């Protein structure tokens, strides 16, 4: 059985999450309602929103699929805060993390999108599984 440490993952290609992360323009406060999140998801034609807490730090990520149970009853969506939903929460990726390690973690956790935060927990962007795979595939061996 082979084990991988963060150091060996970074040596594989020398790539980090910062090399593959993308900006995320769509965020929502954790005290916003499910109804508001649904409106943003549909109007922006996006599959996910980053959720930030009252201090502006990353709290998680909410998806259209994750909101489905709450959208079944319209009165519920008007009163339910995003913080009360079950959505993807930390730990999150950080920009200096080895890209190979991050891609492995995403596969294990079955994540299509992973928020990337700085040392203080503020949102820097997102890492998508497709982007991580593409960058690693294009890297010289």
């Amino acid at each position: 059985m082979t084990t991988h440490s963060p150091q060996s993952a970074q040596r594989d290609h020398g790539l980090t999450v910062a090399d593959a992360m993308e900006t995320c323009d769509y965020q929502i406060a954790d005290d916003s309602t499910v109804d508001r999140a649904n409106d943003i998801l549909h109007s922006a034609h996006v599959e996910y929103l980053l959720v930030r807490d009252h201090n502006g730090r990353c709290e998680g990520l909410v998806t259209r699929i994750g909101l489905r149970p709450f959208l079944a009853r319209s009165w519920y969506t008007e009163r339910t805060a995003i913080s009360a939903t079950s959505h993807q929460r930390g730990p999150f990726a950080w920009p200096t993390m080895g890209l190979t390690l991050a891609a492995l973690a995403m596969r294990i956790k079955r994540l299509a999108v992973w928020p990337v935060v700085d040392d203080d927990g503020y949102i820097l962007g997102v890492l998508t599984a497709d982007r991580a795979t593409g960058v690693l595939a294009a890297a010289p061996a």
Side-chain angles (χ1 to χ4, degrees):
M1 180 166 126
T2 304
T3 59
H4 297 280
S5 68
Q7 292 80 18
S8 67
Q10 286 181 338
R11 277 182 290 191
D12 287 350
H13 296 289
L15 296 170
T16 65
V17 168
D19 296 314
M21 75 178 193
E22 302 169 2
T23 61
C24 181
D25 297 326
Y26 298 99
Q27 301 176 15
I28 193 165
D30 64 352
D31 61 352
S32 297
T33 64
V34 169
D35 194 39
R36 177 73 181 129
N38 190 47
D39 287 347
I40 294 170
L41 288 167
H42 284 303
S43 64
H45 304 289
V46 293
E47 294 298 318
Y48 61 88
L49 297 171
L50 290 177
V51 181
R52 62 184 187 291
D53 67 14
H54 63 280
N55 292 321
R57 290 183 173 89
C58 187
E59 206 276 327
L61 182 129
V62 67
T63 64
R64 287 182 187 211
I65 293 170
L67 294 180
R68 279 187 190 157
F70 298 92
L71 298 173
R73 294 176 273 176
S74 62
W75 65 269
Y76 204 63
T77 65
E78 295 170 4
R79 297 186 182 130
T80 305
I82 292 297
S83 59
T85 66
S86 58
H87 57 276
Q88 179 186 330
R89 299 178 193 264
F92 306 116
W94 58 95
T96 57
M97 180 181 208
L99 187 56
T100 303
L101 178 63
L104 176 64
M106 290 180 76
R107 274 195 304 278
I108 291 169
K109 294 173 143 191
R110 295 187 176 123
L111 300 175
V113 181
W114 199 10
V116 180
V117 299
D118 66 13
D119 291 337
D120 295 317
Y122 292 101
I123 299 167
L124 297 175
V126 294
L127 178 65
T128 64
D130 291 342
R131 175 85 171 141
T133 301
V135 170
L136 286 170

